[in-house]
C-alpha cells in the first residue's frame, strides 16, 4: 500500500487561520490567502519584506504598542525555541493603496518556531485570529441598564485582564532573563581556569540541571603547579541556583589556592575541609582532586566523599580509583589527615573525573550508573578527549542536560 505525498505548501495556502512564515531575520517568506483577506494586503506588498517594514506602527495612535509587543514575542521564540501565545493586541495595519492610511485592527497572535535539523529556529509560523469585531462591540464601559450589560461587562473585563496579564508576564520574563544573564556572567567568572587553555589533552564539560537558571554548584578546575605537574579537580555543592554557585565559587577558589601552596592533594583537601566548616551551605560538599606528575608518570589523588575517578587504558581496561576516600568536606572532626593514593599510568591512558549528575538516576543504585560509565569508557577509550566527552554525555543520556548538574573532566595522560 502506498500513500500520496502531502503537499504542505498547498495545505498552508488554504488554511483557515490567517498565517505567514518568517525567517530568523523576521523577513516574510510565505503568506496564505486567509492572511491576505484579513489584512486587505497583496502578496507583493508583504513577501520578501522585513515584517515591521510591511506592518509599521500607526503614527496617529500615540498609545500603540503592537510593534513592541510582537517584537518581544518573536525574540522570545528565537531565543527559547518555544511557541509564544500573545494576549489580544491592537495592531493597526496600513490600508493598501492609501499611503499613510491605517485601519484599526485587533489580533490574537501565536508565534511558533519551526526547527531545522541542527536544532536551530529555521522558520517562525505567525498565526493570528482577527478579533476586531469583538473588540469594537465590547466597550469597556456600559450603562448598567443596557441589554446584556452584565455579560458584556464581564467579557470586557476578561479582555482587559488578559492584556494586563501579558504585560506582567513580559515584565517577569525580562526580570528572569536579566537574572539568568547575571548568573551566567557570575558562573563564567567563577569557573575561569587560565591554565586550562595550555592543555589540549584535557576536555571539560559543564551542564547545569534542566530547568535551572543555568548555574549550579558543580565545579571543575585545572591548575599548573610546575613544569612537570598539574592538578585537576571536580566538586559538587549541595543544591542548585545562585546560592549553591556562590558557595561553589568560594570552595573552588580556596582549593585552588591551597593546592598551589601545598602540592599534596590530601593535605590541600584538609585545608578546604576546615574552611568548609565556616559555611553552612558548604557542609556535605564532595570533591576529588588529582595531581599529575608527567615526568614520573604517576598521579596522586584524594576524594572527599566524591564518586571515584576512572583510569582507562587503551586496551579497554578501566581502573576504579577508590583507595583514598574520606567523608565529604567539613564532616570530619578529628585531626587525622585525609588519605591520598598514587597510581602509575602509561602515555595514552585516560583519567575521567565527574560529578554524580553524569551517572545517578532516580530509582537506580549508584553502582549501576558507575558500571554503565565504565562500560562506555572501556569501549571508547581511544577517542580524543573532546570526542570522548561528547560520547559519554550522549550514551549516558545527559547530552542536553539532566535532572542534576554535570561537571566532567577528561585527561589524556
Amino acid at each position: 500500500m502506498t500513500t500520496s505525498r502531502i503537499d504542505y505548501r498547498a495545505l498552508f495556502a488554504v488554511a483557515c487561520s490567517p498565517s505567514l512564515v518568517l525567517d530568523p531575520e523576521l523577513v516574510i517568506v510565505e503568506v496564505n490567502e486567509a492572511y491576505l483577506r484579513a489584512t486587505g494586503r497583496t502578496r507583493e506588498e508583504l513577501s520578501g519584506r522585513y515584517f515591521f517594514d510591511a506592518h509599521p506602527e500607526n503614527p496617529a495612535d500615540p498609545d500603540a504598542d503592537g510593534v513592541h509587543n510582537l517584537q518581544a514575542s518573536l525574540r522570545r521564540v528565537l531565543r527559547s525555541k518555544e511557541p509564544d501565545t500573545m494576549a489580544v493586541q491592537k495592531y493597526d495595519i496600513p490600508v493598501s493603496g492609501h499611503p499613510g492610511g491605517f485601519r484599526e485592527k485587533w489580533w490574537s497572535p501565536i508565534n511558533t518556531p519551526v526547527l531545522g535539523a541542527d536544532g536551530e529556529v529555521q522558520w517562525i509560523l505567525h498565526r493570528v485570529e482577527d478579533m476586531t469585531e469583538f473588540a469594537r462591540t465590547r466597550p469597556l464601559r456600559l450603562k448598567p441598564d443596557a441589554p446584556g450589560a452584565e455579560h458584556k461587562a464581564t467579557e470586557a473585563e476578561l479582555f482587559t485582564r488578559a492584556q494586563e496579564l501579558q504585560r506582567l508576564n513580559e515584565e517577569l520574563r525580562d526580570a528572569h532573563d536579566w537574572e539568568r544573564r547575571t548568573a551566567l556572567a557570575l558562573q563564567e567568572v567563577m569557573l575561569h581556569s587560565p591554565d586550562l587553555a595550555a592543555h589540549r589533552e584535557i576536555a571539560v564539560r559543564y551542564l547545569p540541571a534542566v530547568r535551572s537558571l543555568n548555574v549550579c554548584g558543580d565545579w571543575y578546575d585545572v591548575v599548573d603547579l610546575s613544569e612537570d605537574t598539574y592538578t585537576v579537580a571536580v566538586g559538587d555543592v549541595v543544591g542548585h541556583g545562585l546560592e549553591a554557585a556562590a558557595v561553589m565559587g568560594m570552595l573552588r577558589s580556596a582549593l585552588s589556592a591551597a593546592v598551589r601552596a601545598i602540592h599534596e592533594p590530601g593535605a590541600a583537601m584538609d585545608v578546604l575541609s576546615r574552611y568548609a566548616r565556616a559555611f553552612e551551605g558548604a557542609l556535605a560538599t564532595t570533591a576529588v582532586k588529582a595531581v599529575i606528575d608527567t615526568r614520573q608518570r604517576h598521579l596522586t589523588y584524594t576524594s572527599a566523599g566524591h564518586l571515584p575517578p576512572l583510569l582507562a587504558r587503551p586496551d579497554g581496561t578501566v581502573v576504579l580509583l577508590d583507595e583514598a576516600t574520606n567523608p565529604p568536606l567539613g564532616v570530619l572532626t578529628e585531626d587525622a589527615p585525609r588519605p591520598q593514593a598514587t597510581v602509575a599510568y602509561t602515555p595514552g591512558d585516560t583519567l575521567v573525573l565527574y560529578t554524580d549528575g553524569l551517572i545517578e538516576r532516580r530509582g537506580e543504585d549508584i553502582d549501576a550508573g558507575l558500571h554503565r560509565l565504565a562500560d562506555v569508557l572501556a569501549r571508547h577509550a581511544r577517542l580524543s578527549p573532546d570526542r570522548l566527552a561528547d560520547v559519554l554525555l550522549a550514551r549516558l543520556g545527559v547530552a542536553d542536560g539532566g535532572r542534576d548538574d554535570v561537571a566532567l573532566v577528561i585527561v589524556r595522560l
Side-chain angles (χ1 to χ4, degrees), residues 84-285:
D84 191 79
T85 301
M86 303 177 66
V88 175
Q89 303 289 317
K90 183 178 185 296
Y91 196 138
D92 299 344
I93 58 172
V95 178
S96 184
H98 294 78
F102 280 79
R103 179 186 305 155
E104 179 185 355
K105 281 287 186 179
W106 296 77
W107 309 97
S108 175
I110 301 177
N111 300 306
T112 305
V114 180
L115 305 185
D118 59 355
E120 298 301 318
V121 177
Q122 187 171 5
W123 313 107
I124 297 177
L125 177 64
H126 173 66
R127 181 169 64 85
V128 296
E129 295 297 338
D130 190 345
M131 305 293 291
T132 305
E133 288 304 313
F134 174 87
R136 285 176 174 171
T137 58
R138 266 66 177 178
L140 297 184
R141 292 181 178 84
L142 296 168
K143 294 181 179 179
D145 57 349
E150 183 177 353
H151 178 68
K152 291 183 178 181
T154 300
E155 289 181 336
E157 179 71 11
L158 288 173
F159 175 70
T160 303
R161 291 292 176 261
Q163 292 185 307
E164 291 178 353
L165 181 60
Q166 174 171 302
R167 178 180 57 80
L168 291 173
N169 282 337
E170 288 180 358
E171 291 177 359
L172 286 173
R173 288 191 188 102
D174 290 342
H176 179 79
D177 186 58
W178 177 86
E179 184 178 9
R180 180 179 176 276
R181 285 186 281 107
T182 301
L184 286 175
L186 174 65
Q187 190 90 59
E188 184 177 351
V189 170
M190 290 191 296
L191 282 176
H192 181 54
S193 293
D195 296 337
L196 178 60
H199 291 273
R200 300 184 63 182
E201 76 281 8
I202 299 178
V204 299
R205 296 292 186 271
Y206 186 77
L207 299 173
V210 173
R211 297 189 180 95
S212 72
L213 269 177
N214 275 2
V215 294
C216 64
D218 287 13
W219 85 81
Y220 63 83
D221 199 11
V222 178
V223 177
D224 287 333
L225 302 178
S226 70
E227 184 178 347
D228 302 316
T229 60
Y230 62 93
T231 178
V232 294
V234 297
D236 185 357
V237 174
V238 176
H240 305 282
L242 289 174
E243 183 177 354
V247 174
M248 174 275 290
M250 292 187 294
L251 295 180
R252 179 179 181 272
S253 298
L255 183 56
S256 181
V259 80
R260 282 178 167 89
I262 310 170
H263 290 189
E264 295 295 318
M269 196 70 80
D270 268 334
V271 172
L272 183 64
S273 186
R274 289 193 292 271
Y275 178 72
R277 295 175 194 173
F279 302 96
E280 182 179 352
L283 297 179
T285 293

Side-chain angles (χ1 to χ4, degrees), residues 24 30 39 47 87 144 185 249 253 258 265 287 311-312:
E30 191 61 79
T39 59
S47 295
S253 298
L311 184 64

Side-chain angles (χ1 to χ4, degrees), residues 334-393:
E334 62 271 16
D335 294 328
R338 285 188 177 265
Q340 61 183 41
T342 300
V343 60
Y345 70 83
T346 56
D349 288 353
T350 303
L351 176 66
V352 178
L353 286 73
Y354 55 95
T355 55
D356 58 6
L358 181 67
I359 66 170
E360 191 173 31
R361 300 295 178 265
R362 182 174 296 178
E364 180 183 78
D365 189 87
I366 192 70
D367 286 340
L370 188 56
H371 291 151
R372 188 162 48 245
L373 170 61
D375 181 61
V376 176
L377 183 58
R379 288 186 282 115
H380 300 281
R382 292 180 178 271
L383 294 176
S384 68
D386 267 313
R387 179 64 181 140
L388 179 58
D390 292 336
V391 167
L392 288 179
L393 294 175

